[in-house]
Amino acid sequence: MGMVNIGGLQPFVDIMIPVLNAISFQQIVPNFKTVAKKMKREIAYSGGEGRIVNFTPLQSTSKHVKNLSSYLIIENMADSVTLNSAAKDFAEQVGKIFEAANTIWGFIGKHWKFPTGLDQNVNNLKRKREQLNGQKEDTASRIKAEQRPRKKVKKEVKLWLENVERVNGEIQNLESEALGPSSFYSRGFLKNNVWKKIEEVEQLLGKGRFSDGFVVDDPLRMGQVLPIPSLVGETAALKRNEILGYLMNNEVQKIRIYGMPGVGKTSVIKLVNNELLKDANQFNIVVWITVSRKCGVIELQNKIARAISAVISEDEDETIRAGILSEIFAQKGRYVLILDDVLDNFSLEKVGIPEPTASNGSKLVLTSRSLDVCQRMDCQVIKMEPLPEAEACTLFLDKVGQNLMSFTVLVPLARSIAKRCAGLPLAIITVASSMRGEYSLPRRGNALEELKRSVQTVMDVDVKGMVYQQLRFSYDRLNDPKIQNCFLTTASYHEDSGIHKKQLIGDWIRKGLIDMGNMQANIDRGQAILGKLIDNCLLENVGNGRVKMHDLVRDMAVLITQELYSS
């Protein structure tokens, strides 16, 4: 008895049927009957008694299996030679079936698994996803901890996070498919997809360790967070927000902040600098330069070059150096250049600073103690005013330290100091910081008087050293003895409500400090001098046609007068 077994197609026959139909496999099946009839005729012709027991079906629930998965049994073949032709035809038909089956299974086997245990695999995938999302949260926390100005997240980390987001969405889709209705063969494909997704998640878990860190240096990002004193009250916050508002306004490219020394210009602009560095999407570089009193073009170019990590040869002349700086700024993209304490006018072009425009999105910020500095630059002007008395008192109590704040006797002293410092944060912080070393107040009855004398010593030594020196520079910068004399005589007025401008100009004229030949010329000259003193923050407008001299400015004026008379 000879036997040919085609029952091996049973495990995947259900999922093969649609494909077999697509290649007209049904045309092959009838050939079995044709071959069988031919074989029987040839057996009969040869006189043999062989017979064909055709297609004994295996157990199956599919109607197709009954036609395909069978045993063909040939018995009692009298003459095997006479069967050669029929057997050959039959073998060719069977060969075609197996060839088609192998091709189809080669394709389907890569994408299909027997669907038992699908639910267990889905649950395993969920656990893997939870582990992956935990690793994602840890990665986000470490990125936040490592993120600094001039740093950027590694490209491989960004791609990993993107892949995690993608895989999360795909897992959610697979879960939905597993819960929905599906056929036997479609669940086999689903199980295979779940297995592949588990493998992908495991690969992501392995790749997401990033033992060498999550950020790298960003050559296009520059800037440095600056230390600042903690400022209390609304004034500093309001000024910071005002400046930031102009920086985010496309119609404003240049901003100039001015005010008298010690009023808090540098502290507020440091707040702005640090705030800009928090948002990497606004500007590529934020450059801070402190401009010294004697800072020419070459020196300013050197400071800018160091700040942006550029190398400029000292042998190059100003024009070439300016061209190099301008080219570097253009390559960096949108920038904010902060020049603190600018005392003299300068040309952006000569230094090599590209003109900030709405099209390039760059900004220039200047701070100065004089309004007339850089007036030709068409800047948005912001004036820094001294602190209101209540905020000045609060600032003093905040800086003096917890050990002294509990003494109620300090409250009137704080008001007195705040008034004496006339709202200048620098002076207030200087006095308060000097008192932090006092761990307790004297216990004698004249404790307050002793503390006042201690404060006066600080005012005379520390504050004069820090504030008077800067104020003296503003006085020296007037560069005109007549204007300087007008300023010194103004120190003799002590009215809290201010001095009327007309009265002040009249006094200058009567004292012979102004002599232009006629009264109108004298008045015009007096108004020009008054404007000069206001612009240099040596006098301040108080409204109603009046001006006032800051208490610390008056103290400086008195000291200068004493120096002049003593010499």
Side-chain angles (χ1 to χ4, degrees), residues 249-253 333-335 355-363:
N249 187 341
N250 290 331
E251 297 180 0
V252 177
Q253 280 72 51
R334 300 183 65 193
Y335 70 85
E355 183 73 25
T357 62
S359 59
N360 63 30
S362 297
K363 308 286 183 177

Side-chain angles (χ1 to χ4, degrees), residues 115-309:
T116 57
L118 174 61
D119 293 339
Q120 182 179 353
N121 290 331
V122 171
N123 290 332
N124 187 27
L125 179 58
K126 289 180 181 179
R127 288 190 293 271
K128 293 289 185 181
R129 178 185 61 185
E130 291 174 0
Q131 186 179 353
L132 181 64
N133 286 333
Q135 191 173 27
K136 173 190 168 187
E137 292 178 5
D138 293 341
T139 298
S141 298
R142 291 188 61 182
I143 289 174
K144 187 176 181 180
E146 293 184 15
Q147 193 75 66
R148 294 286 186 277
R150 297 181 291 182
K151 297 286 186 181
K152 66 177 181 179
V153 180
K154 289 181 177 180
K155 185 66 176 178
E156 60 177 328
V157 177
K158 286 185 177 181
L159 291 174
W160 184 84
L161 291 171
E162 291 173 3
N163 284 329
V164 170
E165 289 297 324
R166 173 184 56 79
V167 166
N168 268 311
E170 292 172 353
I171 291 175
Q172 187 174 358
N173 292 336
L174 289 175
E175 290 177 0
S176 299
E177 291 182 33
L179 293 174
S182 58
S183 64
F184 178 81
Y185 74 89
S186 66
R187 287 178 68 81
F189 285 113
L190 180 58
K191 180 180 178 181
N192 186 72
N193 291 338
V194 169
W195 267 106
K196 288 184 176 180
K197 200 56 60 182
I198 290 174
E199 292 176 354
E200 185 175 4
V201 171
E202 289 175 344
Q203 290 176 359
L204 285 173
L205 287 169
K207 293 179 179 179
R209 294 187 177 91
F210 303 111
S211 56
D212 56 345
F214 297 82
V215 299
V216 292
D217 292 333
D218 187 351
L220 297 179
R221 291 283 304 165
M222 290 187 176
Q224 178 61 57
V225 174
L226 302 173
I228 55 172
S230 58
L231 299 178
V232 297
E234 296 182 356
T235 300
L238 289 174
K239 287 299 179 183
R240 178 201 63 187
N241 294 339
E242 182 182 1
I243 296 168
L244 286 172
Y246 284 127
L247 287 172
M248 302 306 164
N249 187 341
N250 290 331
E251 297 180 0
V252 177
Q253 280 72 51
K254 288 169 281 189
I255 302 170
R256 181 155 45 103
I257 303 108
Y258 82 102
M260 66 181 299
V263 78
K265 302 182 298 296
T266 299
S267 295
V268 169
I269 205 64
K270 282 181 178 180
L271 291 172
V272 172
N273 174 87
N274 294 352
E275 196 68 29
L276 290 173
L277 292 174
K278 293 179 181 179
D279 189 353
N281 298 320
Q282 287 294 334
F283 300 98
N284 292 339
I285 61 174
V286 180
V287 182
W288 175 283
I289 305 292
T290 300
V291 183
S292 63
R293 295 182 181 182
K294 296 180 181 180
C295 188
V297 171
I298 294 291
E299 179 61 24
L300 186 54
Q301 288 176 335
N302 288 338
K303 288 187 175 187
I304 294 174
R306 286 193 295 269
I308 62 176
S309 301

Side-chain angles (χ1 to χ4, degrees), residues 530-542:
L530 196 61
K532 184 82 170 178
L533 295 176
I534 293 172
D535 288 349
N536 282 274
C537 300
L538 295 171
L539 291 177
E540 53 184 309
N541 273 310
V542 291

